[in-house]
Amino acid sequence: MRGYLISWLKKHSDGQRLEAFVQARPEEWLVWEAGPWRPTYQNKDTLAHDGERGSPPHGAGESLAIALEPNPRKPYLSLGRGPDNDIVIDDATLSRLHLLFTREAAGWTVRDAGSTNGTTVEGARLGPDPVALQPGLRMVAGSVRLTFYDSGGLYLRLRGAR
């Protein structure tokens, strides 16, 4: 998986027209929205703030855009806090395996993988049945906020449209 800070993508696409951006970055995207983060502290020595051990300030940070690229070894992409997932987000509110994304002929779908804290899609509880992802669709997995974009939608977001 390739991931980019939103600010990096914005800087490196400034002056680019929509058509050129879509040609250069045709993938669909999952954006991990900036917000509260509840690290699991699996490696406590890596977290420091002002020279003292502790957690980063809540709400600090920046959104991260993750290119959704099908995995040739399996029919889905997994998201969770476990290290064996395709998309790893070390947040204590996520299950080790939380979400499964599948690329279908009509586009990407998402389903909950039986997580403990659940997932909502546009405020509705997500179950084990797949739900089609549409550009701009918002999900909350545990307390991790995610937004799905096609390439054109991500371009518009980078230009200030939400």
Side-chain angles (χ1 to χ4, degrees):
M1 283 302 113
R2 293 176 296 127
Y4 304 92
L5 292 173
I6 290 288
S7 63
W8 187 92
L9 276 174
K10 182 172 177 37
K11 177 181 174 184
H12 286 84
S13 65
D14 272 351
Q16 211 173 26
R17 298 179 55 88
L18 172 63
E19 299 79 18
F21 182 86
V22 170
Q23 184 176 11
R25 302 187 187 286
E27 308 87 351
E28 283 86 11
W29 297 83
L30 189 65
V31 175
W32 175 14
E33 303 293 354
W37 175 49
R38 293 166 185 84
T40 60
Y41 299 109
Q42 292 173 0
N43 186 353
K44 295 177 184 171
D45 293 333
T46 63
L47 296 175
H49 180 61
D50 294 330
E52 297 178 25
R53 179 174 281 157
S55 66
H58 288 298
E62 182 178 351
S63 298
L64 178 69
I66 303 160
L68 292 177
E69 300 165 319
N71 186 334
R73 296 181 305 278
K74 58 185 181 180
Y76 59 84
L77 295 176
S78 57
L79 180 146
R81 64 179 166 82
D84 53 340
N85 287 293
D86 299 298
I87 303 168
V88 177
I89 299 177
D90 186 22
D91 186 287
T93 65
L94 289 178
S95 292
R96 290 182 79 48
L97 173 59
H98 202 102
L99 294 174
L100 298 173
F101 295 90
T102 305
R103 177 75 172 149
E104 307 283 344
W108 286 93
T109 63
V110 64
R111 67 183 176 91
D112 193 276
S115 67
T116 301
N117 291 327
T119 303
T120 60
V121 175
E122 295 295 340
R125 182 83 172 186
L126 179 64
D129 295 328
V131 170
L133 294 176
Q134 301 299 320
L137 186 129
R138 295 185 184 125
M139 299 166 266
V140 179
S143 65
V144 174
R145 296 178 304 134
L146 304 164
T147 307
F148 177 79
Y149 291 101
D150 61 10
S151 188
L154 182 62
Y155 175 86
L156 293 175
R157 170 155 178 186
L158 296 174
R159 297 298 164 268
R162 276 235 149 167

PDB file of all heavy atoms in Angstrom, residues 145-157:
ATOM      1  N   ARG A 145     -11.789   7.615  11.779  1.00  0.00           N
ATOM      2  CA  ARG A 145     -12.620   8.179  10.712  1.00  0.00           C
ATOM      3  C   ARG A 145     -11.940   7.991   9.364  1.00  0.00           C
ATOM      4  O   ARG A 145     -10.764   8.323   9.208  1.00  0.00           O
ATOM      5  CB  ARG A 145     -12.882   9.657  10.977  1.00  0.00           C
ATOM      6  CG  ARG A 145     -13.687   9.876  12.255  1.00  0.00           C
ATOM      7  CD  ARG A 145     -13.919  11.341  12.584  1.00  0.00           C
ATOM      8  NE  ARG A 145     -12.651  12.063  12.662  1.00  0.00           N
ATOM      9  CZ  ARG A 145     -12.435  13.244  12.076  1.00  0.00           C
ATOM     10  NH1 ARG A 145     -13.360  13.847  11.382  1.00  0.00           N
ATOM     11  NH2 ARG A 145     -11.253  13.836  12.205  1.00  0.00           N
ATOM     12  N   LEU A 146     -12.687   7.454   8.397  1.00  0.00           N
ATOM     13  CA  LEU A 146     -12.180   7.162   7.056  1.00  0.00           C
ATOM     14  C   LEU A 146     -13.139   7.746   6.026  1.00  0.00           C
ATOM     15  O   LEU A 146     -14.352   7.760   6.241  1.00  0.00           O
ATOM     16  CB  LEU A 146     -12.079   5.648   6.850  1.00  0.00           C
ATOM     17  CG  LEU A 146     -11.251   4.871   7.862  1.00  0.00           C
ATOM     18  CD1 LEU A 146     -11.562   3.385   7.782  1.00  0.00           C
ATOM     19  CD2 LEU A 146      -9.772   5.123   7.626  1.00  0.00           C
ATOM     20  N   THR A 147     -12.593   8.200   4.900  1.00  0.00           N
ATOM     21  CA  THR A 147     -13.412   8.676   3.788  1.00  0.00           C
ATOM     22  C   THR A 147     -12.892   8.023   2.517  1.00  0.00           C
ATOM     23  O   THR A 147     -11.687   7.940   2.297  1.00  0.00           O
ATOM     24  CB  THR A 147     -13.342  10.212   3.655  1.00  0.00           C
ATOM     25  OG1 THR A 147     -13.658  10.809   4.907  1.00  0.00           O
ATOM     26  CG2 THR A 147     -14.325  10.711   2.600  1.00  0.00           C
ATOM     27  N   PHE A 148     -13.816   7.563   1.674  1.00  0.00           N
ATOM     28  CA  PHE A 148     -13.487   6.928   0.399  1.00  0.00           C
ATOM     29  C   PHE A 148     -13.596   7.956  -0.718  1.00  0.00           C
ATOM     30  O   PHE A 148     -14.554   8.734  -0.771  1.00  0.00           O
ATOM     31  CB  PHE A 148     -14.453   5.770   0.135  1.00  0.00           C
ATOM     32  CG  PHE A 148     -14.240   5.099  -1.188  1.00  0.00           C
ATOM     33  CD1 PHE A 148     -13.212   4.184  -1.362  1.00  0.00           C
ATOM     34  CD2 PHE A 148     -15.068   5.382  -2.261  1.00  0.00           C
ATOM     35  CE1 PHE A 148     -13.007   3.569  -2.593  1.00  0.00           C
ATOM     36  CE2 PHE A 148     -14.876   4.764  -3.492  1.00  0.00           C
ATOM     37  CZ  PHE A 148     -13.842   3.863  -3.647  1.00  0.00           C
ATOM     38  N   TYR A 149     -12.600   7.979  -1.606  1.00  0.00           N
ATOM     39  CA  TYR A 149     -12.603   8.887  -2.751  1.00  0.00           C
ATOM     40  C   TYR A 149     -12.177   8.153  -4.008  1.00  0.00           C
ATOM     41  O   TYR A 149     -11.320   7.272  -3.951  1.00  0.00           O
ATOM     42  CB  TYR A 149     -11.588  10.035  -2.564  1.00  0.00           C
ATOM     43  CG  TYR A 149     -11.949  11.027  -1.498  1.00  0.00           C
ATOM     44  CD1 TYR A 149     -11.354  10.976  -0.246  1.00  0.00           C
ATOM     45  CD2 TYR A 149     -12.870  12.034  -1.745  1.00  0.00           C
ATOM     46  CE1 TYR A 149     -11.672  11.891   0.737  1.00  0.00           C
ATOM     47  CE2 TYR A 149     -13.195  12.957  -0.771  1.00  0.00           C
ATOM     48  CZ  TYR A 149     -12.596  12.881   0.463  1.00  0.00           C
ATOM     49  OH  TYR A 149     -12.918  13.788   1.432  1.00  0.00           O
ATOM     50  N   ASP A 150     -12.751   8.564  -5.140  1.00  0.00           N
ATOM     51  CA  ASP A 150     -12.139   8.201  -6.413  1.00  0.00           C
ATOM     52  C   ASP A 150     -11.077   9.261  -6.681  1.00  0.00           C
ATOM     53  O   ASP A 150     -10.927  10.219  -5.911  1.00  0.00           O
ATOM     54  CB  ASP A 150     -13.175   8.078  -7.535  1.00  0.00           C
ATOM     55  CG  ASP A 150     -13.936   9.365  -7.819  1.00  0.00           C
ATOM     56  OD1 ASP A 150     -13.568  10.440  -7.285  1.00  0.00           O
ATOM     57  OD2 ASP A 150     -14.908   9.301  -8.585  1.00  0.00           O
ATOM     58  N   SER A 151     -10.326   9.109  -7.751  1.00  0.00           N
ATOM     59  CA  SER A 151      -9.223  10.015  -8.024  1.00  0.00           C
ATOM     60  C   SER A 151      -9.694  11.461  -8.194  1.00  0.00           C
ATOM     61  O   SER A 151      -9.088  12.391  -7.664  1.00  0.00           O
ATOM     62  CB  SER A 151      -8.481   9.542  -9.278  1.00  0.00           C
ATOM     63  OG  SER A 151      -7.318  10.280  -9.474  1.00  0.00           O
ATOM     64  N   GLY A 152     -10.788  11.642  -8.911  1.00  0.00           N
ATOM     65  CA  GLY A 152     -11.321  12.993  -9.116  1.00  0.00           C
ATOM     66  C   GLY A 152     -11.799  13.627  -7.820  1.00  0.00           C
ATOM     67  O   GLY A 152     -11.613  14.823  -7.599  1.00  0.00           O
ATOM     68  N   GLY A 153     -12.413  12.835  -6.959  1.00  0.00           N
ATOM     69  CA  GLY A 153     -12.869  13.350  -5.667  1.00  0.00           C
ATOM     70  C   GLY A 153     -11.714  13.756  -4.771  1.00  0.00           C
ATOM     71  O   GLY A 153     -11.783  14.769  -4.061  1.00  0.00           O
ATOM     72  N   LEU A 154     -10.631  12.974  -4.798  1.00  0.00           N
ATOM     73  CA  LEU A 154      -9.452  13.337  -4.016  1.00  0.00           C
ATOM     74  C   LEU A 154      -8.852  14.634  -4.549  1.00  0.00           C
ATOM     75  O   LEU A 154      -8.452  15.507  -3.773  1.00  0.00           O
ATOM     76  CB  LEU A 154      -8.416  12.219  -4.034  1.00  0.00           C
ATOM     77  CG  LEU A 154      -7.171  12.487  -3.201  1.00  0.00           C
ATOM     78  CD1 LEU A 154      -7.505  12.651  -1.721  1.00  0.00           C
ATOM     79  CD2 LEU A 154      -6.148  11.370  -3.389  1.00  0.00           C
ATOM     80  N   TYR A 155      -8.818  14.781  -5.864  1.00  0.00           N
ATOM     81  CA  TYR A 155      -8.317  16.017  -6.476  1.00  0.00           C
ATOM     82  C   TYR A 155      -9.118  17.220  -5.959  1.00  0.00           C
ATOM     83  O   TYR A 155      -8.539  18.228  -5.558  1.00  0.00           O
ATOM     84  CB  TYR A 155      -8.414  15.919  -7.995  1.00  0.00           C
ATOM     85  CG  TYR A 155      -8.042  17.177  -8.723  1.00  0.00           C
ATOM     86  CD1 TYR A 155      -6.721  17.451  -9.050  1.00  0.00           C
ATOM     87  CD2 TYR A 155      -9.014  18.112  -9.092  1.00  0.00           C
ATOM     88  CE1 TYR A 155      -6.375  18.614  -9.716  1.00  0.00           C
ATOM     89  CE2 TYR A 155      -8.678  19.272  -9.753  1.00  0.00           C
ATOM     90  CZ  TYR A 155      -7.353  19.524 -10.064  1.00  0.00           C
ATOM     91  OH  TYR A 155      -7.020  20.687 -10.724  1.00  0.00           O
ATOM     92  N   LEU A 156     -10.443  17.092  -5.953  1.00  0.00           N
ATOM     93  CA  LEU A 156     -11.286  18.196  -5.476  1.00  0.00           C
ATOM     94  C   LEU A 156     -11.021  18.489  -4.005  1.00  0.00           C
ATOM     95  O   LEU A 156     -10.992  19.643  -3.590  1.00  0.00           O
ATOM     96  CB  LEU A 156     -12.763  17.891  -5.712  1.00  0.00           C
ATOM     97  CG  LEU A 156     -13.186  17.837  -7.176  1.00  0.00           C
ATOM     98  CD1 LEU A 156     -14.641  17.401  -7.284  1.00  0.00           C
ATOM     99  CD2 LEU A 156     -12.954  19.178  -7.849  1.00  0.00           C
ATOM    100  N   ARG A 157     -10.816  17.445  -3.206  1.00  0.00           N
ATOM    101  CA  ARG A 157     -10.500  17.667  -1.795  1.00  0.00           C
ATOM    102  C   ARG A 157      -9.191  18.427  -1.644  1.00  0.00           C
ATOM    103  O   ARG A 157      -9.079  19.321  -0.811  1.00  0.00           O
ATOM    104  CB  ARG A 157     -10.419  16.330  -1.065  1.00  0.00           C
ATOM    105  CG  ARG A 157      -9.855  16.545   0.345  1.00  0.00           C
ATOM    106  CD  ARG A 157     -10.238  15.548   1.292  1.00  0.00           C
ATOM    107  NE  ARG A 157      -9.624  15.818   2.581  1.00  0.00           N
ATOM    108  CZ  ARG A 157      -9.707  15.016   3.577  1.00  0.00           C
ATOM    109  NH1 ARG A 157     -10.361  13.876   3.461  1.00  0.00           N
ATOM    110  NH2 ARG A 157      -9.144  15.300   4.729  1.00  0.00           N
TER     111      ARG A 157
END
